[in-house]
Each structure stands twice: as structure tokens, then as C-alpha cells.
Amino acid sequence: MTPETLRLWDRDHLWHPFTALTDWEAAEPLVIDRAEGVYLFDVQGRRYLDGVSSLWCNVHGHRHPTLDAAIRDQLDKVAHTTLLGVSHPTAIELSRRLVELAPEGLTRVFFSDDGATAVEVALKMAFQYWRQKTDPEPKRTRFVALGGAYHGDTLGDVSVGGVDRFHAMFGPLLFPSLRVPSPHCYRCPLELQQPTCALACLNAVDRVLTEHPGEVAAIVVEPLVQGAAGMIVHPDGYLRGLRELSRAHDTLLIADEVAVGFGRTGTLFACEQEDVHPDILCLAKGLTGGYLPLAATLTTEEIYSAFRGTYTEGKTFYHGHTYGGNPLGAAVALASLRVFDEEQTLDQMVPKIARLAERLAAVREQPHVGDVRQRGLIGAIELVADKASKAPFPWADQVGARICMRARDFGLLVRPLGDVLVIMPPLSITLEQLDEMLDILFQCLSEITEGLA
Ligand SMILES: *Cc1c(COP(=O)(O)O)cnc(C)c1O
């Protein structure tokens, strides 16, 4: 097919997610058809650095020989069989490996296929757990969730989500969450300075839990970094504080590590950094190294036990997805975890994390850079119209989007969150490639913002 045919067929038939359709139809689509390492190639043969890890999921680069081989080997056995009433070796082995690696206490693995399903499973699991453990009457019907939270696009996830732009439309379909302020220190919802802000945010959670005794099934949180909200980096101790509050108020903690899991923050799981053992852990994106859709919801023996029962006891978790635990996905997930060992991915990240910090510190001084944030190999630059007042650019100006579009001309593919530029390369990126990426991004940042008042 010629690039021109692809362009026409795409415009005529393909509905792109999170995409303004009129703008899309008017623009020249970028059509990627192959990749190598941290680079993507479009149908015209142009090369782009994959600065968003193909939507925050690629870990070891594209076409990694070990990952490719794992899929081929599995393909020679079977592409898909179900976990409903049947099992298979790769899912068994992966569940064992995840339990070995995950924070202590998580001993049970429920597979599904996407981040959204991993969290949806977690919510339903928490709800049903309480009904079978203590209250046959559904008393614990509430979830505590953060402002700006993003947990996926199914209706349960949207109910605990807090990004208005994504969720306002579906308000009438959602269950109400107990919303607590996000500890977003640059734009503190309580207008406090650090460390008072983090403490005040935890106090707000304490208050909500005190006001709703016995009503909260779980607190849901993206540990350390709230992704879609704009890469909001939580202050140290906040996650630990949430864990303590959930214990003190006898409720569960659901850690949504869909975006931050698998090395992204510098440790295999973000929870490790605050020595937090959640009751439920949601994994997806990086689980397969960014190769195939596979997700896992891990939980404790305590929660699993509440579901133990015969058919007639009615304790069964009536939830499952056709492709949950798919053998190809499980095989490549196992291979990805092997590569973490073989290539010492986490150790190799240390100098790259330091380089990113240095380079972000330098860009902080630019006139329209309001805030820079980082955790591991997640970087974010929040652009503002006015540094002193932190006033944002008018939404319609699309400053972030324009910078990222311009970056394509220099061979960098990045996707902003509003006016927050996101730096999220595959963990396998080299120092030189990271510099190349930041050179392009900063150059486009200067070019586009120079023309603005
Ligand atoms: C991306 C994301 C999800 C949803 O994952 P999908 O695979 O897109 O359904 C859930 N939670 C967080 C924190 C995410 O970043």
C-alpha cells in the first residue's frame, strides 16, 4: 500500500483514541510501520526517537532479540488458550515470578489484558472482599481517590478518576468517589508550602476516612507519580502516609502501578521506594516490555481467602476477560523480566536518571517553564504563560502540542499532557540518545515559546 492510500483509508475508517477528529482528518497522519531499539520508522522511512515509549509502555526498546524470540517460541506451542477453568505453563510461571518480585505479601495474581481492566478488577475485588469478609450488606461502597487521578477508561476506573476533561461527559453513569486533594506541590490545592502541603493532603484523607467509618472499600492511588494528571510527583512520605492511614482506618490500599511499574521510577516497583506493601497492586503497560496487552492484579492471601468457596457457596469472583493471561503476552513478560537481570536495566538507569535531572535543572530557568518534575526516567516540564502567577497558556493555544509537533521535524516523537511536556523514553535509551532527545525537545521549546508574550 502506498503512503497516500494509507492516509486515505486511515482518514476514512480508523477512529483514533483521545484524538480530536476534525484536527486529525485535516492533518498529515504519522504512520509508523517498523522500529528498532528506541527508534520508530514511518512508511516514508523517516526515523523518530520514541520519546513516549509508545505510550509509556516500552521498556527494553523495540525488536529486542530476547523478547522477539520469546514470542516466536511461544507461538510454536500455542498463541492463546483460556484461564477460565484451564491453565497453561507460561501464565503459571509468570504468576510465580511476579509474586517473587512484587512487594511482600502479594501472593495471588489475577490476569487481565489492559491497565483499565487491572484496576477495574481491583475495585470489584475490594468491594466483593468486604462483602464476603464482614458485611453481607453492601456498606463499603465508597472509594477514596485523588484529584487528577487517572486509572483507565472503563466506567469503574472513570468513577475513581479525577481528570475532568476525560470524565465530565460520563458523569451521569459514574458512582461517586470520595475525592481527596492530590499533593501537587507546584499547584498546591490547599495553597501550602512543602512539607506542610503533603501533611495537609494526608490530613484530608484522614478526615474523609473519619467521616465515613466502615464505608470505604479502598484508597486508590498511583504511587509516587500521577501520570495523566501531568506527571505530578508526590512528595516523599505521602505514599507511606496513605498506607498508614488505610491501616489505621481498616481499609485497603490499591496501588495502580500501571504506568510506574517495571523500572520506570528507578526501582522495579514504585511502592518499594517507600517500603509500602499494598493490598492490591495493578500492573500493565510495562509488564510485557511494551509488546503485548497483558495486565495483572496482585493481591494478598487474606483477600484471596475471602473468595475461597465451593460453587454453591457463591463466593466466586465472576469477572474475567477472554484474553486474560494470554500465553504470548505471558511469555514476553517473562522474557522482559529476564532482560531486567541480564542487562541490569535498573543499575544502567542510574546515570541516565542523573543526566535527566541535570538537563531539567538547566531548562528550569527558561521564561515559560513553570515547573520541572522528575522521578526515575519520567520527566515533565510544565509550561506557563506567566512564571510569577503560574497562569497557564490559554488551552486553545495548544503550546505543548505545537512543541511536540515541531519535534517531529527533528526526528523526535513525544506527546504532551496539555502544556506539560512529557519525557518518557524506553529505559534502554543510551545517554547519547537521551541527550539527543532533550536537545531536540528543548530547542523546540525555545523556538515555540519565544514567539509568545
Ligand atoms: C495507562 C494507565 C491506565 C490504563 O491502562 P490501559 O492499558 O490504557 O487501559 C491505568 N492507570 C494508569 C496509572 C495508567 O497510566
Side-chain angles (χ1 to χ4, degrees):
M1 254 185 294
T2 65
E4 180 56 14
T5 309
L6 290 167
R7 186 179 75 79
L8 293 174
W9 288 11
D10 180 290
R11 193 197 60 197
D12 290 347
H13 305 299
L14 193 48
W15 187 338
H16 290 266
F18 281 89
T19 301
L21 300 184
T22 303
D23 297 344
W24 175 265
E25 287 168 4
E28 191 64 31
L30 174 56
V31 184
I32 300 295
D33 81 338
R34 66 195 176 85
E36 189 69 53
V38 299
Y39 293 104
L40 303 165
F41 297 85
D42 72 10
V43 287
Q44 267 111 354
R46 285 181 296 229
R47 191 180 84 162
Y48 304 87
L49 223 159
D50 187 358
V52 274
S53 295
S54 293
L55 238 299
W56 314 354
C57 61
N58 192 281
V59 177
H60 306 294
H62 299 276
R63 307 235 23 232
H64 191 290
T66 307
L67 276 65
D68 288 10
I71 293 179
R72 290 202 185 92
D73 290 349
Q74 180 60 48
L75 202 49
D76 285 337
K77 296 178 189 142
V78 59
H80 181 68
T81 88
T82 182
L83 289 183
L84 275 66
V86 190
S87 203
H88 62 78
T90 43
I92 294 170
E93 200 186 328
L94 179 59
S95 63
R96 172 81 179 192
R97 190 77 189 113
L98 288 174
V99 166
E100 282 168 3
L101 295 168
E104 203 183 296
L106 299 166
T107 54
R108 300 284 172 172
V109 182
F110 188 99
F111 285 115
S112 61
D113 37 32
D114 280 288
T117 56
V119 180
E120 194 80 26
V121 164
L123 299 174
K124 290 174 74 177
M125 200 179 257
F127 175 78
Q128 188 173 338
Y129 162 73
W130 288 112
R131 291 197 65 181
Q132 287 171 188
K133 182 185 154 77
T134 50
D135 32 70
E137 293 303 311
K139 280 188 308 211
R140 288 180 185 262
T141 55
R142 317 294 300 270
F143 290 89
V144 171
L146 273 67
Y150 179 78
H151 297 290
D153 295 329
T154 58
L155 287 173
D157 298 337
V158 171
S159 296
V160 289
V163 183
D164 270 355
R165 196 175 315 118
F166 303 162
H167 299 157
M169 170 64 69
F170 303 106
L173 301 180
L174 308 180
F175 60 75
S177 285
L178 296 167
R179 192 69 57 196
V180 292
S182 158
H184 184 5
C185 300
Y186 177 63
R187 296 185 184 280
C188 177
L190 307 172
E191 293 184 20
L192 296 166
Q193 301 299 313
Q194 262 297 59
T196 328
C197 162
L199 274 179
C201 286
L202 285 170
N203 285 339
V205 178
D206 193 23
R207 242 183 346 266
V208 164
L209 291 171
T210 305
E211 283 163 10
H212 298 273
E215 292 173 36
V216 175
I219 304 171
V220 192
V221 66
E222 295 160 77
L224 303 190
V225 183
Q226 280 180 263
M231 299 301 164
I232 294 168
V233 176
H234 291 169
D236 291 343
Y238 178 78
L239 179 64
R240 175 92 230 143
L242 276 190
R243 172 73 283 192
E244 282 160 13
L245 285 172
S246 66
R247 288 241 162 83
H249 290 272
D250 189 29
T251 190
L252 303 176
L253 181 69
I254 298 173
D256 174 359
E257 291 219 19
V258 169
V260 294
F262 298 100
R264 187 49 68 181
T265 66
T267 47
L268 193 62
F269 299 110
C271 282
E272 291 170 33
Q273 294 189 32
E274 302 217 343
D275 197 22
V276 161
H277 308 164
D279 300 290
I280 302 181
L281 175 69
C282 305
L283 303 173
K285 290 193 171 98
L287 170 59
T288 59
Y291 265 54
L292 285 168
L294 180 72
T297 306
L298 277 68
T299 193
T300 59
E301 216 49 33
E302 159 73 16
I303 291 176
Y304 178 84
S305 317
F307 290 79
R308 204 181 256 124
T310 61
Y311 184 74
T312 48
E313 283 173 273
K315 291 183 176 178
T316 302
F317 189 40
Y318 286 111
H319 187 109
H321 297 274
T322 306
Y323 287 103
N326 170 265
L328 291 172
V332 72
L334 279 166
S336 173
L337 289 169
R338 261 198 322 276
V339 171
F340 266 100
D341 287 338
E342 288 166 7
E343 297 184 0
Q344 302 199 292
T345 306
L346 296 176
D347 291 342
Q348 296 292 332
M349 281 173 71
V350 174
K352 303 178 220 176
I353 293 170
R355 178 70 59 89
L356 178 58
E358 267 167 48
R359 305 261 343 236
L360 283 175
V363 86
R364 188 186 274 278
E365 304 312 320
Q366 293 226 5
H368 289 286
V369 172
D371 191 27
V372 301
R373 302 187 274 274
Q374 185 194 1
R375 199 93 195 210
L377 276 184
I378 302 174
I381 301 170
E382 180 163 341
L383 303 170
V384 290
D386 180 62
K387 269 178 106 133
S389 68
K390 304 181 183 177
F393 287 111
W395 173 247
D397 285 4
Q398 302 219 303
V399 176
R402 277 160 54 202
I403 293 169
C404 293
M405 281 311 277
R406 182 70 176 131
R408 288 188 189 180
D409 296 336
F410 301 96
L412 170 65
L413 191 63
V414 275
R415 188 179 162 85
L417 293 160
D419 285 339
V420 176
L421 302 177
V422 174
I423 297 151
M424 204 129 173
L427 306 187
S428 62
I429 194 168
T430 64
L431 274 179
E432 293 68 33
Q433 290 164 339
L434 181 62
D435 273 331
E436 181 194 350
M437 172 179 176
L438 297 172
D439 288 344
I440 297 171
L441 189 66
F442 294 174
Q443 180 195 323
C444 295
L445 190 167
S446 301
E447 183 191 312
I448 301 289
T449 55
E450 249 158 38
L452 300 167

